[in-house]
């Protein structure tokens, strides 16, 4: 999952840099207005995901689950 996220971030950075380089040469594939709107949308979606993870961790996670701490090297659920 970390690799996929890293690859996606690198692709977004390369895309943004290529649009900037094209703008230097007065080649307009995507307007700055559309680029800013897309960036704002991605930031909004990122914030929504972070809020969802926080809400899930606080309210929806089962913290009552207990584990045997003395049974081997890994935690095993009590039955």
């Amino acid at each position: 999952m970390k690799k996929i996220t890293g690859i996606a971030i690198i692709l977004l950075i390369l895309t943004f840099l290529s649009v900037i380089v094209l703008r230097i040469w007065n080649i307009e594939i995507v307007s700055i207005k559309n680029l800013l709107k897309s960036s704002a949308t991605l930031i909004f979606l990122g914030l929504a995901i972070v809020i969802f993870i926080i809400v899930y961790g606080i309210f929806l996670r089962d913290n009552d689950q207990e584990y045997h701490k003395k049974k081997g090297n890994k935690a095993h659920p009590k039955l």
Side-chain angles (χ1 to χ4, degrees):
M1 187 67 183
K2 290 180 183 180
K3 287 183 180 181
I4 293 172
T5 305
I7 290 170
I9 290 171
I10 289 172
L11 287 175
L12 284 172
I13 290 171
L14 288 175
T15 303
F16 184 71
L17 290 175
S18 64
V19 168
I20 290 174
V21 169
L22 289 174
R23 292 287 296 168
I24 291 172
W25 290 95
N26 289 328
I27 300 171
E28 186 174 331
I29 294 175
V30 178
S31 69
I32 295 296
K33 184 178 176 181
N34 286 339
L35 190 63
L36 290 175
K37 285 182 180 181
S38 299
S39 299
T41 303
L42 287 175
I43 290 170
F44 178 74
L45 287 174
L47 289 174
I49 290 170
V50 168
I51 291 171
F52 175 72
I53 290 171
I54 291 171
V55 168
Y56 176 77
I58 293 173
F59 297 112
L60 302 176
R61 207 170 84 195
D62 185 19
N63 290 331
D64 295 333
Q65 197 174 27
E66 297 180 16
Y67 293 97
H68 290 290
K69 294 179 181 176
K70 296 180 182 178
K71 194 173 185 181
N73 292 334
K74 297 181 181 177
H76 299 280
K78 288 184 180 179
L79 299 176

